[in-house]
């Protein structure tokens, strides 16, 4: 099988490795089937999309809606490199699934309005599928509503007209959308279970997502909810787009 490519931006090794392991586990991928580039550390090397089955983007520290003067050199480099890659991904309608920061990358590239209006605190939310989700292949067999983990300072306030809204929540109207037929973004984390969420709460307790002295309360509330369904979307993406190498 041609591998998938994970573009990551987490600077903390524990969180970065936990994210990679979660994408492997819930995508049903062996390590050799998921190549990772840590963009916060290394520039994006030349990417030949014909070598890959699809592209994944994980969450991270960057907010695409931050004013330009507040973006550091690493964020500006990462955004420029992702934008250039998205030019080709969108032109080819190449399989893409962006989780959390994927909304800021694909959404911004396609003209969505992104700001802090619909930020959500760290923890579980109930995601509701839209009528258009009924015919989407990644969401086949999914329940109409399910719990998922979120935690973000920005979100899509308005999608471009050509985007297909697939899921919403009470506090964030755009939880998942599609561009063309094969490019997806989720605001929630399709790779994240309770153990992974607890790990990230510990790693990011000083990052302003919640008061530091409330970290244990945030963790207890998060793990009290069983989250199992979002991972099916990740697995469906892998199964739908896995391509065989030519012999």
């Amino acid at each position: 099988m041609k591998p998938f490519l994970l573009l990551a931006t987490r600077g903390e090794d524990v969180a970065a490795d936990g994210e990679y392991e979660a994408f492997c586990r819930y995508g049903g991928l062996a390590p050799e089937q998921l190549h990772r580039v840590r963009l916060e550390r290394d520039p994006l090397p030349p990417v030949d999309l014909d070598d890959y089955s699809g592209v994944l983007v994980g969450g991270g520290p960057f907010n695409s809606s931050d004013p330009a003067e507040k973006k550091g050199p690493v964020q500006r480099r990462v955004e420029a490199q992702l934008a250039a890659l998205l030019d080709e991904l969108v032109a080819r309608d190449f399989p893409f699934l962006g989780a959390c920061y994927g909304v800021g990358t694909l959404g911004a590239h396609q003209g969505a309005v992104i700001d802090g209006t619909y930020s959500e605190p760290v923890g579980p939310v109930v995601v509701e599928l839209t009528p258009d989700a009924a015919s989407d292949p990644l969401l086949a067999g999914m329940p109409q509503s399910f719990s998922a983990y979120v935690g973000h300072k920005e979100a899509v306030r308005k999608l471009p007209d050509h985007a297909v809204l697939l899921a919403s929540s009470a506090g964030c109207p755009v939880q998942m959308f599609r561009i063309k037929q094969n490019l997806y973004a989720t605001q929630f984390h399709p790779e994240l279970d309770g153990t992974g969420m607890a790990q990230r709460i510990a790693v990011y307790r000083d990052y302003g997502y919640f008061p530091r002295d409330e970290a244990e309360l945030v963790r207890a509330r998060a793990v009290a909810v069983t989250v199992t369904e979002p991972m099916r979307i990740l697995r469906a993406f892998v199964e739908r787009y896995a391509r065989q190498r030519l012999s």
Side-chain angles (χ1 to χ4, degrees), residues 213-231:
D213 59 359
E214 295 181 10
E216 178 53 33
L217 178 60
V218 172
R219 186 204 66 80
R221 288 174 176 170
V223 300
V225 175
T226 301
V227 173
T228 58
E229 300 306 302
M231 301 79 161

Side-chain angles (χ1 to χ4, degrees), residues 63-72 75-76 79 114 154:
N63 292 312
S64 64
S65 61
D66 284 345
E69 63 272 15
K70 291 188 177 182
K71 295 179 179 179
Q75 182 174 353
R76 292 195 296 270
E79 288 182 350
I114 300 170
E154 67 176 4

